Amino acid sequence: MRTKQVNLLITLVAVALFSFSCFCIYRITQTNNRFINCRNHILEFKENMLHLRNKTEKNSQEMMKVLNRIKYEITKRENLSGNLVAQKADILNKNETISNTFEDLKFFFPHIRKEGRIYPDVIMGKGKTGVSFALGISTVNRGNYSYLRQTLTSVVSMMTLSEEKDSVVIVSVADSNEDYLHSVVKMITRKFKRQVRSGSLEVISIPAFLYSSMLNAKQLAEASQKLASWRIKQVLDFCILMLYAQPKAKYYLQLEDDIIAKEMYFTKITDFVGNISSNNWFFIEFSMLGFIGKLFRSEDLTHFVRFFLMFYKEKPIDWLLNDIFQIKVCDTGEDLGNCIKRKKQIRIRYKPSLFQHVGIHSSFPGKEQYEKKKS
């Protein structure tokens, strides 16, 4: 009996121990699973954080690239805008200068104040600018006599190709006769094809309305009045041509349509100007006859033109040139003799003359002239 009780107790204890062991194993397994789940959650969180960080870094890099690109584009646009503004301002300044210069004519001639833009008609030209020399030739109809082709041939043919490239010859047709204008254009188109194609030879025409009421000279006898009107118009022709040529070149050389240029004249002018030690010169004479062969700085042309327009009814233009030279050189109250003596000392004259006057039949109808060069 007692043995049975002991065996039963042992069995119960064994069962209890087994049950407790199972419970402990269950709890340990459950705890371990929880630990594993926790560890997995931690690893997943860590992985997500690493992914997020990588993604953030990648986004940051992409953002920096975008910001740098935007900054580059903004800088580029600002520079481009600045350049365009500067270019536009430069163009506007040049055009404004040209426009304002021609607008000066309205101050001297009330009859054109109601006109719009004052500017010569460009018949043939490519707007060549930035050259060293502009050569101006004003021409009018002389009836059955014409020296223009001969003049242009000598002026152009005596240039080298590099000299031609660094210059522009401007023929200003200052005549209301359209047949004459057409004949000039036809002749130039046929005989000077290369120069026309390169833009080194231009033809302009002065609108007739500019002269409509300018040519009323002082009340003189009929013949004298016609001569005075011719001289007045000649001054105006030169002024308009000078204003047109001003923005094209550093220097302006005044010629006429009835001259012949000497051999290597352009080379000699270039060398002479380049070798002048002083830059304080007013104008240079490469011919002492009339207004032929006078070289000006283009930047000074406006001042010359304004002076000529103030007295255009009083004297021929070569006389006015002498007057303005005297005004610039002579001091107030200075003895005239001393002034003339000093003027001769500083007046720059190239000898011998580089241009020969050949026109016997003047642009003034019926007048013949036999003036030759003065060495």
Side-chain angles (χ1 to χ4, degrees):
M1 182 66 182
R2 189 174 178 82
T3 303
K4 289 182 179 180
Q5 290 178 343
V6 171
N7 291 336
L8 179 61
L9 180 61
I10 291 171
T11 301
L12 289 174
V13 171
V15 170
L17 288 172
F18 178 77
S19 297
F20 180 75
S21 298
C22 289
F23 176 77
C24 289
I25 291 171
Y26 169 77
R27 295 295 295 177
I28 290 172
T29 302
Q30 191 177 37
T31 301
N32 188 49
N33 289 338
R34 288 180 178 176
F35 175 76
I36 291 172
N37 289 336
C38 181
R39 187 187 65 178
N40 290 339
H41 282 303
I42 291 172
L43 292 175
E44 184 180 1
F45 178 76
K46 183 179 180 181
E47 184 179 354
N48 288 338
M49 289 299 294
L50 289 173
H51 178 72
L52 182 61
R53 187 184 70 177
N54 292 336
K55 188 175 181 180
T56 302
E57 289 179 354
K58 184 178 180 181
N59 289 340
S60 178
Q61 291 175 358
E62 292 295 329
M63 183 65 72
M64 288 300 298
K65 289 180 180 179
V66 172
L67 289 175
N68 289 334
R69 184 65 184 176
I70 292 174
K71 184 178 179 181
Y72 170 77
E73 292 294 334
I74 291 174
T75 304
K76 183 179 178 181
R77 288 176 180 272
E78 286 178 347
N79 291 337
L80 179 61
S81 176
N83 291 337
L84 289 175
V85 169
Q87 291 174 6
K88 186 174 181 182
D90 184 53
I91 293 172
L92 287 174
N93 286 338
K94 289 181 180 178
N95 289 340
E96 184 179 1
T97 300
I98 296 170
S99 176
N100 288 343
T101 301
F102 275 96
E103 287 295 308
D104 284 350
L105 295 174
K106 294 182 179 180
F107 175 79
F108 296 97
F109 310 118
H111 77 279
I112 62 173
R113 290 176 184 171
K114 294 182 180 180
E115 298 290 339
R117 183 171 180 256
I118 307 298
Y119 200 71
D121 298 323
V122 181
I123 309 301
M124 185 184 300
K126 295 189 176 181
K128 188 174 183 180
T129 58
V131 296
S132 295
F133 293 89
L135 291 72
I137 300 173
S138 181
T139 185
V140 295
N141 185 14
R142 298 174 188 248
N144 296 327
Y145 306 96
S146 177
Y147 307 96
L148 181 60
R149 178 178 170 181
Q150 182 182 13
T151 295
L152 282 176
T153 300
S154 71
V155 168
V156 171
S157 65
M158 298 298 177
M159 292 184 183
T160 64
L161 289 177
S162 60
E163 289 171 345
E164 183 180 306
K165 185 178 180 180
D166 194 31
S167 64
V168 57
V169 178
I170 306 162
V171 177
S172 175
V173 181
D175 199 302
S176 59
N177 186 328
E178 291 190 3
D179 291 336
Y180 181 66
L181 172 61
H182 294 157
S183 68
V184 170
V185 172
K186 184 178 180 181
M187 180 271 292
I188 290 177
T189 303
R190 286 182 175 181
K191 301 298 180 182
F192 304 98
K193 294 179 181 179
R194 188 187 74 248
Q195 289 80 9
V196 171
R197 283 197 302 265
S198 67
S200 296
L201 181 55
E202 298 186 2
V203 178
I204 64 173
S205 176
I206 300 177
F209 71 82
L210 288 173
Y211 300 115
S212 58
S213 63
M214 296 182 191
L215 305 181
N216 295 325
K218 297 174 181 178
Q219 297 302 318
L220 303 171
E222 184 176 354
S224 298
Q225 185 173 349
K226 288 181 178 179
L227 181 60
S229 295
W230 170 76
R231 285 176 175 166
I232 288 172
K233 180 180 177 298
Q234 194 175 55
V235 176
L236 301 177
D237 293 343
F238 286 131
C239 287
I240 295 170
L241 177 53
M242 293 167 85
L243 292 179
Y244 174 80
Q246 182 182 28
K248 291 181 170 291
K250 184 177 182 180
Y251 302 106
Y252 174 76
L253 179 65
Q254 183 64 62
L255 301 176
E256 294 186 9
D257 65 345
D258 56 353
I259 58 97
I260 292 179
K262 298 295 184 66
E263 187 176 356
M264 295 185 66
Y265 81 96
F266 197 90
T267 303
K268 292 176 181 177
I269 289 176
T270 303
D271 292 343
F272 187 78
V273 173
N275 290 327
I276 294 178
S277 57
S278 172
N279 198 38
N280 189 29
W281 52 269
F282 198 44
F283 63 90
I284 302 174
E285 297 178 272
F286 291 96
S287 170
M288 305 232 287
L289 184 60
F291 203 48
I292 299 169
K294 304 302 185 283
L295 183 78
F296 306 88
R297 293 188 190 86
S298 293
E299 63 185 20
D300 295 334
L301 288 177
T302 302
H303 304 299
F304 281 100
V305 168
R306 287 172 178 166
F307 183 85
F308 295 152
L309 292 178
M310 282 191 288
F311 303 102
Y312 74 100
K313 289 185 178 182
E314 309 304 324
K315 295 180 180 181
I317 195 165
D318 52 324
W319 292 15
L320 292 176
L321 184 62
N322 186 67
D323 289 346
I324 191 174
F325 184 77
Q326 183 165 319
I327 291 171
K328 286 285 187 179
V329 172
C330 300
D331 297 329
T332 303
E334 182 181 4
D335 179 73
L336 182 59
N338 292 335
C339 172
I340 294 175
K341 184 178 180 180
R342 188 156 51 85
K343 187 169 64 173
K344 288 181 178 180
Q345 293 174 344
I346 66 173
R347 193 163 190 164
I348 301 179
R349 288 173 168 167
Y350 181 93
K351 294 183 180 182
S353 173
L354 294 179
F355 303 98
Q356 174 68 57
H357 182 263
V358 296
I360 295 176
H361 298 275
S362 171
S363 56
F364 180 71
K367 181 183 178 183
E368 293 186 357
Q369 52 194 11
Y370 297 91
E371 294 175 301
K372 298 297 179 180
K373 69 176 180 178
K374 298 177 183 178
S375 298

